[in-house]
Amino acid sequence: MVSRVIPVDPFDLTIFGGTGDLARRKILPGLYRRFAAGQIPDGCRIVGAARSDLSQDAYRDEVSDALAEFVGKDKLSPDTLKAFLGLIRYVSIDATGDKGWSELKGHVRDDRISAFYFSVAPSLFGAIAERLHGHGIADDTTRIVVEKPFGRDLESARALNRTLAEHFDETQIYRIDHYLGKETVQNLMALRFGNVLFEPLWNSQFVDHIQITVAETVGVAGRGEYYDRSGAMRDMVQNHLMQLLCLIAMEPPSQFEPDAVRDEKLKVIRALEPVKPDEIVRGQYEGRSGGQSGAKSRVAPYHADVDDPDSRTESFIAMKVHVSNWRWAGTPFYLRTGKRLKARQSEIAVVFKDAPHSIFGAEAGRHRNILTIRLQPNEGMTLGVTIKEPGPGGMRLIDVPLDMTFADALGAENDQVTDAYERLVMDVIRGNQTLFMRGDEVEAAWAWTDPIIDGWVSADKRPYPYEPGSAGPEESQMLLHRENRRWREIRE
Ligand code: BG6
């Protein structure tokens, strides 16, 4: 099955922070892939803007190197690459001064969509927005894209929203949470609202609990300074896990349209109960000294990665969350995320309740339907159903998976699932804000998060240590065990 590519309208996209890590790793490779797929028309411009003094050719060389590294040398076609580099421009700009702005104005044309990606520190948002307007580069049709972290608490997020609102209308602001661009995350909406099968069961009457796990194997070395000021709560829960929770828990919007969807997500965030301290477990990874050949490799402990032996920041968090509304009263959501865990595995598991009465007697055992939505790797969904064990041995029940791995189900052409950034940048050009966070959503998420973090700061406790390559601290298992539930295994 080959997917249809509809080209977008002509645009000029400027990337502030055009030489930065995000541009190199995600934005430019994503644009290249969309160009190669025929979605970006010739004549568009992609303008890198950054502080360094670089010639046009030197920047194109940098772009070309980034594509070789992050798209893959073998996936670049020389003709396509040449044509793509033809779209690229560079401006050396001073975000807080005068340099470069008139030149940028020369690159951004009036007769097409213009978008500006603020891939820079949030402290520069105001200065850039002001200059875009001051130099007549932006108007009320301009779109701007901003990245997380969107503030570090409610107060700073409000301040950022106010700064942006001085220059742009909410309909012009695209706040990225790249989890919303993941294929399976969108499929979650298709699954819930495109089928009649699940929605009648999607409530506390039938769902025992829901688990959301985002496990990573990487540590925080190389970004210790940022991470140690954030921790898993600010880095992952306030945004990515919260968005997943919203899509699982929200009421059906009346339309798949930006404000209809975002209104429903906002209601979920506002319905979150404050989390009790004994329903959260924080962890911090230890090191591993390595060993004989064949043994596992050496891993530095968290405190060495962030260069602070006394750090109390969490690299792991597990928590029980309640959505207090009619649909979900009594069905807990368990959230878990961490670095240096056993495997890279992100999934949502909807664990249904037991059948109300077992006609097969106690020896048939306990069987539950579990719907698993895998975000990565091997994007797909599995529904565990109970059947009779084949054979003549009486009525024995077993659980078997009804498995749909997207790459298998949709054929080989789709095996390269579109990267989240790729899709989201195209949505900006299409002017579709559905998969972007609205200002009030971000603020509501911080309003829920702040008291939790404030509680830790005043308690001043160390997170529980956990072994690298494990499933996190033992205490996080207890969070479920004490309620007669268990986390799904994180599999290597
Ligand atoms: C980022 C976090 O937003 O998401 C990182 O800052 C994290 O700490 C990353 O590793 C995870 O994204 P993905 O797409 O690899 O799951």
Side-chain angles (χ1 to χ4, degrees), residues 20 158 174 184 234 245 268 283 305-306 315 343 383 441 447 491:
R158 273 195 183 138
Y174 292 73
T184 321
R234 288 192 173 96
L245 168 68
V268 174
D305 281 348
V306 301
S315 59
L383 177 63
E441 248 184 280
R491 284 205 201 89

Side-chain angles (χ1 to χ4, degrees), residues 148 178-179 182 216 223 235-236 240 339 344 376:
K148 77 173 259 269
H178 78 279
Y179 266 57
K182 289 186 189 275
E216 297 183 277
R223 58 200 290 254
D235 185 52
M236 296 294 287
H240 305 325
K339 305 280 184 202
R344 180 168 189 253
Q376 57 201 23

